[in-house]
């Protein structure tokens, strides 16, 4: 009998490679309001809760997310994922003791993921001994994980196939949106009660990717509406660029804003998204990403032209989908 691991998987941490350490410390701690730990000249971490690490930043040129860490509930499920990788002929590697310690985990396995984002699974997160020192009152993590990653792709069916194969991800819903005349379809995938841990966005009818970075944005969930408002104000006061103003999404009803990180991808701070009730939920399609708000900030015609340039360049670039795990992909329902 096939074991389904849905519900036993939670987005646990994200690894970012950057050379802009000073800007990232100000952005993460002083603007967004997370707890900051300086590990060394080339490493720093942010915490959201009692887990030692939720964001690991290492020095390097990518200016991008380079790995996503998934908390697996128990050792038996961890080993089941490992067996799936072997069954599909995908090589994995055991993380070193140092790598596990940096991520604040006790057991670590790494394997290839779509768009070059290494996927990592772990069990038994290490609890920090130092109290939290952060501007936010708190962040929602727990069984829902820390938030979500949004990825743009020219091969959405393959990305959906990948996460279904590895984590038994389920389709939550779709959004159809038109931005600057470009039609997008966004697929929202969940691995637990959180509305989505992965959002997959693609240009309809064209095999191009308009975003330079591996992720378009990442999301964390604030504990209170006041935390969202205060961090929004700090982003402005500290001079960081806002990408989208405060608004509410059509599908998960999350109230949020999007700031631009020092590395160029966006960072969404949200509040109060719906949780999925597995006994009643049915996928549907929503028109537009927002009920209100989420107005683009400071976008010029040059910015739009640059997006088209990036998209055109993507036509000549091979996108990694890990065929052994994505297979032929999962077409839209």
């Amino acid at each position: 009998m096939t074991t389904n691991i849905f519900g036993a998987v939670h987005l646990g941490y994200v690894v970012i490679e950057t050379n802009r350490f000073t800007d990232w410390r100000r952005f993460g701690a002083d603007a967004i309001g997370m707890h900051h730990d300086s590990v060394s000249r080339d490493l720093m971490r942010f915490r959201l809760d009692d887990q030692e690490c939720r964001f690991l930043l290492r020095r390097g040129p990518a200016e991008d997310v380079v790995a996503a860490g998934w908390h697996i509930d128990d050792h038996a499920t961890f080993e089941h994922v490992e067996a799936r990788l072997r069954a599909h002929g995908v090589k994995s590697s055991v993380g070193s003791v140092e790598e596990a310690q940096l991520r604040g985990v006790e057991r670590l396995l790494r394997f290839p993921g779509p768009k070059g984002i290494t996927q990592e699974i772990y069990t038994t997160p290490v609890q920090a001994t130092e109290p939290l020192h952060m501007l936010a009152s708190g962040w929602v993590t727990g069984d829902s994980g820390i938030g979500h990653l949004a990825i743009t792709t020219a091969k959405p069916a393959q990305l959906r196939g990948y996460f279904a194969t590895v984590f038994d991800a389920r389709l939550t819903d779709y959004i159809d949106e038109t931005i600057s005349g470009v039609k997008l379809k966004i697929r929202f995938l969940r691995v637990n009660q959180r509305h989505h841990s992965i959002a997959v966005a693609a240009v309809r009818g064209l095999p191009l990717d308009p975003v330079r970075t591996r992720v378009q944005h990442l999301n964390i969930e604030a504990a209170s509406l006041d935390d969202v408002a205060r961090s929004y104000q700090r982003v402005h006061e500290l001079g960081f660029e806002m990408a989208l103003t405060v608004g509410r999404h059509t599908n998960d009803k999350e109230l949020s804003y999007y700031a631009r990180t020092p590395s160029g991808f966006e960072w969404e701070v949200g509040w109060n998204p719906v949780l999925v009730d597995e006994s009643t939920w049915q996928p549907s399609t929503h028109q537009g990403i927002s009920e209100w708000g989420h107005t683009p900030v400071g976008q010029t015609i040059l910015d739009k032209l640059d997006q088209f340039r990036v998209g055109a360049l993507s036509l000549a670039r091979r996108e990694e989908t890990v065929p052994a795990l994505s297979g032929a992909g999962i077409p839209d329902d």
Side-chain angles (χ1 to χ4, degrees), residues 228-250:
V228 175
R230 288 181 180 275
S231 65
Y232 185 84
Q233 181 180 18
R234 292 193 300 265
V235 168
H236 275 293
E237 289 176 346
L238 292 172
F240 291 103
E241 184 180 348
M242 193 66 67
L244 299 177
T245 62
V246 173
R248 173 169 276 130
H249 287 302
T250 53

Side-chain angles (χ1 to χ4, degrees), residues 87-233:
H88 285 83
V90 174
K91 291 184 178 179
S92 59
S93 59
V94 176
S96 67
V97 172
E98 181 185 26
E99 287 173 328
Q101 288 177 341
L102 282 174
R103 291 155 174 78
V105 301
E106 292 185 2
R107 189 179 188 188
L108 177 66
L109 190 75
R110 311 174 75 229
F111 51 96
K115 293 196 70 174
I117 303 173
T118 299
Q119 302 297 302
E120 303 179 351
I121 58 173
Y122 69 93
T123 58
T124 320
V126 176
Q127 301 300 297
T129 56
E130 181 185 347
L132 284 166
H133 297 287
M134 59 187 185
L135 297 177
S137 69
W139 303 94
V140 178
T141 55
D143 288 341
S144 295
I146 63 169
H148 66 251
L149 296 174
I151 303 171
T152 58
T153 177
K155 299 182 177 181
Q158 284 73 22
L159 262 70
R160 187 174 163 193
Y162 178 96
F163 288 106
T165 298
V166 178
F167 295 134
D168 293 313
R170 299 177 181 177
L171 175 71
T172 303
D173 50 31
Y174 301 100
I175 286 180
D176 290 336
E177 177 66 283
T178 300
I179 300 176
S180 301
V182 177
K183 293 184 177 180
L184 299 174
K185 193 170 193 72
I186 311 172
R187 298 137 180 96
F188 295 84
L189 308 178
R190 68 186 187 277
V191 293
N192 53 53
Q193 65 183 350
R194 184 178 287 280
H195 179 276
H196 59 285
S197 293
I198 296 287
V200 178
V203 176
R204 299 186 67 169
L206 292 173
L208 56 81
D209 181 351
V211 177
R212 175 192 67 81
T213 50
R214 295 180 178 99
V215 299
Q216 189 274 329
H217 75 263
L218 59 80
N219 159 283
I220 55 176
E221 182 183 346
S224 73
L225 181 57
D226 192 57
D227 284 325
V228 175
R230 288 181 180 275
S231 65
Y232 185 84
Q233 181 180 18

Side-chain angles (χ1 to χ4, degrees), residues 50 66 104 109 112 138 144 158 200 212 214 266 272 277-278 300:
D50 289 337
V66 294
L109 190 75
S144 295
Q158 284 73 22
V200 178
R212 175 192 67 81
R214 295 180 178 99
E266 294 173 15
N272 201 35
D277 181 346
E278 296 297 331
T300 67

Side-chain angles (χ1 to χ4, degrees), residues 43-89:
L43 294 163
M44 68 177 177
R45 305 192 295 197
F46 292 112
R47 288 171 53 198
L48 302 175
D49 54 15
D50 289 337
Q51 188 165 320
E52 271 195 349
C53 176
R54 290 302 194 175
F55 297 96
L56 172 64
L57 279 70
R58 70 187 192 204
R59 197 173 295 277
E63 300 302 340
D64 208 344
V65 169
V66 294
W70 300 88
H71 181 192
I72 307 299
D73 276 352
D74 53 62
H75 293 290
T77 307
F78 182 100
E79 288 156 12
H80 184 77
V81 176
E82 189 175 14
R84 281 186 182 181
L85 299 174
R86 285 198 306 271
H88 285 83

